[in-house]
Amino acid sequence: MPSTFNVHDSSGYEQLMGRWSRILALQFIDFAGLTDGEKIIDVGCGTGSLTFALAKAANVEEIVAIDYSPVFVEAATRSNTDPRVTIRQADACALPFDTGRFDRAMALLVLHFVPDAAKAVAEMRRVVRPGGVVAAAVWDHLGGMPGMRMMVDTVGALSESGRQLRGRYCFQPMMQPGELKRTFVEQGLVDVTETQLMVRMDYRNFDDYWAPMAAGEGPLGQYVAALGTEERARTDAAVRDAYEAGQPDGPRSFANIAVACRGIVS
């Protein structure tokens, strides 16, 4: 089942999100847990933020990382130098692995881009042995990402298409209060725990913030790329004005919240 995340170039994704997901990965591992000797699957590995953090965090036996996007698979494979790590293209909703194959299944910033996120959680549960752990984290787009809300609220005030983008962005799957935890429970996981993780996104200037979206990366970039010339110029100027907020261009810092859940396979 295809992801709804739009990616053209791995370096653009790194500037848009990869640099922040590497920071979040460390907190996510602390919450999800990790033990030497384990076999782990990273579902929706992207460019490898969680994959490579896992390899450094413990003396694990094996890490299998999958992603639906061939762009991400190629980029992560290119970066990999660890023989314990295998990276391949696969569908989160139809994992090509035997039941109980892994000790732990983890998905960082993935499930809100999977159209049938519950099926992906069910698949993660299936491939983990009894007593093993399933863990996932998603951004809180509605209330926990002020930097990105700044963009969608700005375009939402400019046009009907912008308002529609804001609605889609703020209400993606797994992002409503309790939704991720409820899905874990509904898919048969037990001892489900939920928490919030926080990272700051620090930008050098407006171009550092805007360049990946202006290049068409991610769902917000996909919206920008589809704008006509006049509407694009108006959007660029309005988002810049929101970023600068009446002050000279320069560094800005935004606190961002991700919701994380961990459950046990019974």
Side-chain angles (χ1 to χ4, degrees):
M1 181 173 292
S3 167
T4 60
F5 190 88
N6 182 66
V7 59
H8 293 297
D9 178 76
S10 60
S11 62
Y13 172 81
E14 280 294 307
Q15 187 176 2
L16 176 69
M17 193 55 62
R19 52 180 166 168
W20 316 124
S21 61
R22 283 195 296 275
I23 300 170
L24 185 64
L26 302 178
Q27 296 182 38
F28 183 49
I29 291 169
D30 286 343
F31 168 70
L34 192 63
T35 302
D36 289 351
E38 287 188 330
K39 298 179 180 179
I40 305 154
I41 179 168
D42 177 5
V43 177
C45 64
T47 53
S49 297
L50 176 60
T51 305
F52 302 132
L54 287 165
K56 293 177 181 177
N59 185 24
V60 299
E61 179 177 336
E62 179 186 25
I63 301 169
V64 176
I66 68 102
D67 203 282
Y68 192 83
S69 166
V71 175
F72 282 150
V73 171
E74 180 183 357
T77 300
R78 193 166 55 243
S79 298
N80 182 39
T81 59
D82 194 321
R84 298 171 299 167
V85 175
T86 302
I87 302 161
R88 60 180 289 184
Q89 187 175 11
D91 185 347
C93 292
L95 295 173
F97 305 105
D98 292 339
T99 297
R101 163 86 162 73
F102 300 98
D103 300 295
R104 203 173 296 263
M106 302 172 71
L108 179 64
L109 306 180
V110 174
L111 292 182
H112 48 305
F113 292 113
V114 179
D116 190 350
K119 180 65 182 301
V121 173
E123 277 291 274
M124 292 170 70
R125 177 185 180 275
R126 180 185 65 79
V127 300
V128 170
R129 63 167 175 80
V133 173
V134 173
V138 298
W139 289 124
D140 176 5
H141 279 184
L142 179 64
M145 294 198 79
M148 299 302 159
R149 276 298 301 267
M150 179 176 67
M151 184 274 188
V152 297
D153 286 340
T154 298
V155 300
L158 294 177
S159 68
E160 176 59 30
S161 63
R163 285 189 287 275
Q164 292 175 9
L165 171 70
R166 180 171 57 190
R168 293 193 302 271
Y169 181 80
C170 291
F171 294 97
Q172 286 180 236
M174 300 293 108
M175 289 189 172
Q176 301 315 298
E179 186 178 4
L180 184 60
K181 183 176 182 179
R182 183 171 64 252
T183 300
F184 269 45
V185 172
E186 289 172 350
Q187 296 307 319
L189 294 162
V190 299
D191 297 332
V192 177
T193 304
E194 182 181 74
T195 193
Q196 294 183 350
L197 310 175
M198 192 276 285
V199 299
R200 297 201 72 91
M201 295 184 180
D202 298 313
Y203 299 98
R204 297 187 303 274
N205 50 39
F206 176 69
D207 285 342
D208 188 35
Y209 166 82
W210 187 236
M213 287 182 277
E217 292 298 336
L220 304 187
Q222 187 176 26
Y223 171 84
V224 174
L227 295 174
T229 302
E230 183 177 332
E231 187 66 16
R232 171 63 183 271
R234 192 161 72 113
T235 297
D236 288 353
V239 177
R240 175 182 285 276
D241 184 65
Y243 177 90
E244 294 177 354
Q247 299 297 314
D249 188 15
R252 302 289 189 272
S253 182
F254 302 95
N256 296 266
I257 299 297
V259 176
C261 272
R262 177 188 64 223
I264 307 299
V265 177
S266 59

